[in-house]
Amino acid sequence: MKKLLLGLPWPSCLRVGNIFELDKTNIINIPSCSGDPTMYERYWQEMGDKTTVVIPGWQFTSYFSDAGNLCWFLEPELAKEISRLHKVVGNAITEGRLIVVGTGSSQLFLAALYAFTENDASEPFSVVSAAPYYSSYPAATDCLKSGLYKWGGDARNFTKTGPYIELVTSPNNPDGFVRQSVVNRSGGILVHDLAYYWPQYTPITSAADYELMLFTVSKSTGHAGMRIGWALVKDPSIAKKMVKYIELSTIGVSKDSQLRAAKVLKVVSNSCGTAARPRENFFAYCHLLMAERWKLLREAVKQSGMFSLPEFEPGFCNFFQRLFEPLPAFAWLKCEGSVEDCESFLKSHNIWTRSGRHFGVSPSYVRVSMLDRDRTFGCFVKRLSQIHL
Ligand code: PMP
């Protein structure tokens, strides 16, 4: 295991000659405006060949994975490893649920909208989420101008009558807070996006037990490029419609990716065993990384004096068997004082972020990824700490 990762403070990377040169000439842009989880690369590099998958040319030529299953394109091995990992972590109930696999949870989100809405409804369902909400929700909802559903904005200001779907993201992207539904009208439909309900980010306080829960390898193991997500669905008729949507849009989900995802999830579950060496334990390793990054970020914010960050209450984590404060995948940074457009202000200091505007709130907020590579994160906190009035 290389020492740089956990042993040294992040800004030390800036002392490496050529990187500092790059930093000085502004060649490095800080792509922290996206949520690309490249932080995880290093852990997987450390694991060497443990997750290597070799697929012979003749294998996986069929469309079908499990013809007898409602989700006929779900690889049984992936289904097994998904259930196992949820059991190991204790973050979601899988018993009595159907698993629907998708090309990322982004596809499953659209499949859920399709499944919950009705062709013969007199008006489109309103799709709402409490601001600040994940910026893709409005864009993905309205992208095809469906007659079935329509973006309805901030759930807290939702006054329209008629059918609605509320998206509950917990912990939330962008601000990291644990959330509950806010509209709470009878007949309301809830979709729980639990992409970040993993112990490197937040205390696992109970096994989630909702009607429809979305998960993704993008934020759990850091394999965004694999494009694998899954839904745990209570109602078989909803699962069936989601399967139909995926059938219509992509005739299933890449088997190669599912096989790779199954292997990665298996290695993660195995790493949680007591016999595993502590630094191999995936969640312990990543949790430590997040804790170090949040500490550095809070120090940089303090040093600068121009920004503020959310404060979180600690919670008891059943997985780690201890109390800790949430360590979100994004920093929800606020420019204090007279700066109104935090994104432009930070851009002028060569830090790229995503404005609060995209998340349905004021531009005095920005979202910054906490999951970038060490070098980028190190540059980010250093630059931030040097911004003064
Ligand atoms: N939901 C939330 C809350 C997310 O932050 C993301 C990724 N940014 C997604 C869903 C999409 O995940 P995937 O890569 O699996 O499509």
Side-chain angles (χ1 to χ4, degrees), residues 35 103-107 109 134 136-137 169 171-173 193-196 214-219 223-224 227-229 330 367:
T103 300
S105 71
S106 302
Q107 187 181 34
F109 162 67
Y134 173 36
S136 287
Y137 291 152
T169 312
N172 190 38
N173 173 359
D193 186 338
L194 305 184
Y196 302 95
L214 299 178
F215 289 94
T216 167
V217 292
S218 302
K219 304 304 162 112
H223 290 86
R227 309 305 307 127
I228 292 291
F330 294 101
R367 190 193 76 171

Side-chain angles (χ1 to χ4, degrees), residues 141-162:
T141 303
D142 284 345
C143 131
L144 292 181
K145 304 215 181 307
S146 167
L148 298 173
Y149 46 80
K150 197 171 182 310
W151 178 247
D154 184 352
R156 286 198 188 86
N157 301 329
F158 181 61
T159 50
K160 201 168 169 274
T161 53

Side-chain angles (χ1 to χ4, degrees), residues 85-251:
L85 184 61
H86 283 304
K87 207 157 280 157
V88 166
V89 173
N91 62 343
I93 305 264
T94 55
E95 287 83 8
R97 310 296 155 121
L98 291 153
I99 299 175
V100 180
V101 67
T103 300
S105 71
S106 302
Q107 187 181 34
L108 291 162
F109 162 67
L110 292 171
L113 297 189
Y114 173 79
F116 277 123
T117 50
E118 290 148 23
N119 262 325
D120 53 359
S122 57
E123 56 179 323
F125 280 58
S126 299
V127 179
V128 298
S129 188
Y133 42 71
Y134 173 36
S135 51
S136 287
Y137 291 152
T141 303
D142 284 345
C143 131
L144 292 181
K145 304 215 181 307
S146 167
L148 298 173
Y149 46 80
K150 197 171 182 310
W151 178 247
D154 184 352
R156 286 198 188 86
N157 301 329
F158 181 61
T159 50
K160 201 168 169 274
T161 53
Y164 75 93
I165 299 175
E166 181 178 349
L167 311 168
V168 183
T169 312
S170 186
N172 190 38
N173 173 359
D175 64 11
F177 285 101
V178 168
R179 288 187 150 190
Q180 311 290 336
S181 55
V182 302
V183 180
N184 298 325
R185 285 189 212 153
S186 80
I189 293 162
L190 299 179
V191 172
H192 281 81
D193 186 338
L194 305 184
Y196 302 95
Y197 192 43
W198 295 99
Q200 65 270 49
Y201 305 122
T202 197
I204 304 300
T205 52
S206 65
D209 183 16
Y210 302 108
E211 197 62 37
L212 195 151
M213 304 182 270
L214 299 178
F215 289 94
T216 167
V217 292
S218 302
K219 304 304 162 112
S220 52
T221 71
H223 290 86
M226 220 139 65
R227 309 305 307 127
I228 292 291
W230 63 93
L232 303 178
V233 190
K234 249 187 206 170
D235 181 344
S237 69
I238 295 298
K240 198 169 166 193
K241 278 190 82 179
M242 290 177 75
V243 166
K244 185 72 193 166
Y245 176 87
I246 293 169
E247 221 175 286
L248 290 171
S249 56
T250 48
I251 325 183

